Amino acid sequence: MVSVRNPHWREEELSLKEVQKKYTDVPKSWILKADMQRRGITFSQAASALADPEIHLLNSEGANRFRQNTDQVPNGLIMRDGSYLVIGNFDYASSQAERTPYLIDVVDGKLVVTDQDEVLDEIAGYWEKPDFFNKKASNGEPLSKYIACRPQRLEITLNNYCHFWDKPGEGCKYCPMSPNFKKSGKTQECNELKYIDEAFAEALKQEGRNEIVILTGGSILSGEHPFDDEVELYIKVLKLLGEYFEGRRFPSQLISTAFDERQQERLYEETKLMQFTPDIEVLNKEKFEWICPGKAAHVGYEEWKRRLYHAVDVFGRGNVTTGVVLGVEQAVPKGFSSEEEAFQAVTEEAEDIISHGIGIAANIWRATPGSVFQHHNTPSLEYYVRTLREFDRLQQKYQVDPFTDNYRRCGAHIGLDLMRTYQEDAAWQY
Ligand code: SF4
């Protein structure tokens, strides 16, 4: 039985402090950040008032999309250790979350994260918006409509609808993109490339801000072979962006479906793309087939892995990663019924993938509004800490050091923050 809110969750799982006490080899601040992603966060009016639209990146759709109780929601936090926390879809209204979210508040003039009125840590600030967000495209629309950003990276979503949803029941069950697109009443799936180009040109004018550009979007199944039209679209955009750079490659990442060998080779040969990230999402064949039926029908689990391994030959070691929605393998009724069983299965599969030189970029699963799994409960904090810590151990063992999906260039994948521990980052001390 799926339950939205379990009033006894605090008694049934280890608390933040208990997990921090048990896992002393990872920073306490890291465990707190993982739990903020897991439980979600809300903002007090005082904390919300510190978000200045003139200075900060705000989520203009936050109030509707994620049911916040305040007028404006910052897009991201800068934690006290200097790392980022992507708020995006991590925020919740307390009345609808399955566990009580943390509260970002102002106490004694400081921006802090609290739980049950206890101050747990200071927050360094909100993300600042880039200069190009104040400008407009030649059609009068704000340039922010065409390229989104984090403090250090630019993000282009090409297709806002995923065609795995064309056939009822084939969309990924944790993914809200296509249901929310349909609900919005929008019909234009892809922005005109002309305006993406204008936004990119303007974004590059701000020196010292951007480390990388990522491209992503919903899958497009059409073409002579499946996904050919999608590949064609990415090639077109990458060529456009590549014009701004003289070298053979520029810091860029494509997060997409698992294209076949020929499609991968085209992307590598015809563009200056650096990193390829076909997201496998679920680290178990049986659970993958249940949770991502579209991916299973059009590619298949074993074939997805085979294409991933081939990508290392094409793009090179360190330039291939795969995204995972960690925890979704425990969704009911067909997921793993115990955290121990899930841990064993998922880490075994992760080792197989990592041993091929592929980094795992794991997101913490949240039951996102609009998704099929929107009312599900997610795993305990201990499960996340234990599993992400094991992924990190495996990445060290096989010396996988992804260029783009590390804590500097991405910042969204909490597990990859652990790379700081052995890269002697002085800020990573508490
Ligand atoms: S393939 Fe990606 S965009 Fe499409 S439903 Fe799955 S997670 Fe969502």
Side-chain angles (χ1 to χ4, degrees):
M1 173 73 181
V2 176
S3 138
V4 176
R5 169 160 272 217
N6 172 4
H8 307 295
W9 68 270
R10 286 189 195 269
E11 297 100 73
E12 290 175 4
E13 54 188 52
L14 290 187
S15 69
L16 169 72
K17 287 188 180 163
E18 285 166 333
V19 176
Q20 287 172 330
K21 206 168 162 194
K22 189 165 172 183
Y23 295 89
T24 51
D25 58 335
V26 288
K28 285 182 179 167
S29 59
W30 178 83
I31 297 176
L32 170 63
K33 188 171 140 184
D35 209 26
M36 289 165 74
Q37 293 192 345
R38 185 184 73 113
R39 283 171 49 187
I41 55 179
T42 51
F43 291 81
S44 69
Q45 289 293 344
S48 172
L50 289 180
D52 182 345
E54 293 300 315
I55 299 172
H56 299 115
L57 267 171
L58 302 182
N59 187 341
S60 56
E61 294 178 271
N64 295 332
R65 280 172 67 201
F66 305 116
R67 303 181 285 202
Q68 279 284 339
N69 302 318
T70 50
D71 298 337
Q72 51 189 13
V73 183
N75 254 14
L77 304 179
I78 304 171
M79 306 298 284
R80 189 160 66 92
D81 62 15
S83 68
Y84 302 131
L85 190 143
V86 182
I87 294 173
N89 54 9
F90 294 132
D91 51 354
Y92 264 131
S94 355
S95 58
Q96 295 179 26
E98 74 269 26
R99 297 179 180 91
T100 317
Y102 287 95
L103 178 70
I104 307 300
D105 201 358
V106 180
V107 176
D108 297 334
K110 290 179 180 161
L111 191 62
V112 292
V113 52
T114 70
D115 187 33
Q116 295 181 307
D117 298 325
E118 182 185 355
V119 173
L120 298 169
D121 206 351
E122 229 177 283
I123 301 293
Y126 300 148
W127 296 355
E128 291 190 6
K129 69 176 176 179
D131 294 348
F132 80 95
F133 267 40
N134 294 326
K135 305 216 166 132
K136 294 199 165 149
S138 56
N139 61 355
E141 294 283 346
L143 288 179
S144 58
K145 177 175 169 185
Y146 302 102
I147 299 188
C149 72
R150 293 189 188 159
Q152 81 295 27
R153 78 177 205 183
L154 300 169
E155 303 179 339
I156 302 174
T157 299
L158 279 183
N159 219 47
N160 291 296
Y161 176 79
C162 177
H163 287 269
F164 285 140
W165 290 80
D166 288 353
K167 198 164 169 194
E170 285 206 345
C172 301
K173 292 183 169 60
Y174 53 80
C175 179
M177 186 171 94
S178 295
N180 285 342
F181 180 80
K182 278 186 187 164
K183 217 190 302 168
S184 73
K186 290 180 190 157
T187 50
Q188 191 182 351
E189 292 180 18
C190 185
N191 285 320
E192 278 181 61
L193 304 193
K194 171 180 161 48
Y195 305 122
I196 292 175
D197 187 36
E198 288 178 15
F200 195 64
E202 203 55 47
L204 293 187
K205 288 182 186 165
Q206 189 171 356
E207 288 186 10
R209 166 124 190 166
N210 307 301
E211 279 227 44
I212 186 162
V213 55
I214 70 136
L215 271 68
T216 191
S219 292
I220 304 172
L221 308 177
S222 57
E224 194 182 334
H225 300 282
F227 311 119
D228 266 0
D229 288 349
E230 187 180 347
V231 171
E232 211 54 66
L233 183 61
Y234 284 128
I235 287 176
K236 218 186 261 181
V237 178
L238 282 161
K239 279 186 171 166
L240 209 62
L241 306 185
E243 290 286 309
Y244 292 89
F245 301 90
E246 286 178 357
R248 180 65 191 91
R249 307 271 154 213
F250 66 100
S252 47
Q253 179 180 17
L254 174 59
I255 303 173
S256 66
T257 200
F259 298 128
D260 67 21
E261 282 92 330
R262 184 185 54 85
Q263 292 164 335
Q264 290 179 21
E265 279 149 27
R266 281 197 64 198
L267 282 161
Y268 188 77
E269 295 301 334
E270 295 178 35
T271 78
K272 298 178 180 178
L273 176 64
M274 189 177 274
Q275 177 158 335
F276 182 47
T277 302
D279 286 346
I280 196 164
E281 317 286 15
V282 183
L283 290 175
N284 176 271
K285 183 172 184 291
E286 187 193 310
K287 313 303 174 202
F288 171 92
E289 287 169 355
W290 172 53
I291 296 166
C292 303
K295 292 187 183 216
H298 294 275
V299 180
Y301 188 77
E302 295 304 339
E303 177 63 11
W304 199 286
K305 283 174 69 179
R306 206 187 60 72
R307 292 181 186 188
L308 253 177
Y309 301 160
H310 180 77
V312 180
D313 295 336
V314 176
F315 291 89
R317 203 180 162 89
N319 287 329
V320 181
T321 55
T322 189
V324 165
V325 184
L326 187 62
V328 77
E329 64 281 350
Q330 292 180 51
V332 289
K334 294 187 183 171
F336 293 107
S337 52
S338 87
E339 293 196 346
E340 186 56 37
E341 196 191 351
F343 175 81
Q344 294 304 336
V346 159
T347 53
E348 189 180 309
E349 195 62 2
E351 179 153 18
D352 189 18
I353 291 173
I354 292 169
S355 69
H356 285 80
I358 295 161
I360 301 248
N363 285 318
I364 288 180
W365 173 43
R366 279 191 43 260
T368 313
S371 68
V372 174
F373 282 165
Q374 64 179 330
H375 296 308
H376 282 232
N377 281 328
T378 55
S380 70
L381 174 61
E382 184 177 19
Y383 176 74
Y384 284 109
V385 169
R386 201 175 158 216
T387 312
L388 292 169
R389 187 168 152 267
E390 181 61 8
F391 287 178
D392 183 63
R393 189 189 70 75
L394 293 169
Q395 295 200 158
Q396 286 187 60
K397 177 177 167 188
Y398 293 101
Q399 300 188 329
V400 176
D401 185 5
F403 176 76
T404 54
D405 269 324
N406 70 17
Y407 63 92
R408 289 192 185 92
R409 295 183 191 87
C410 177
H413 308 295
I414 177 97
L416 296 168
D417 276 1
L418 289 175
M419 290 168 73
R420 293 176 76 173
T421 309
Y422 47 94
Q423 293 196 351
E424 296 177 2
D425 187 318
W428 187 247
Q429 296 298 330
Y430 69 100

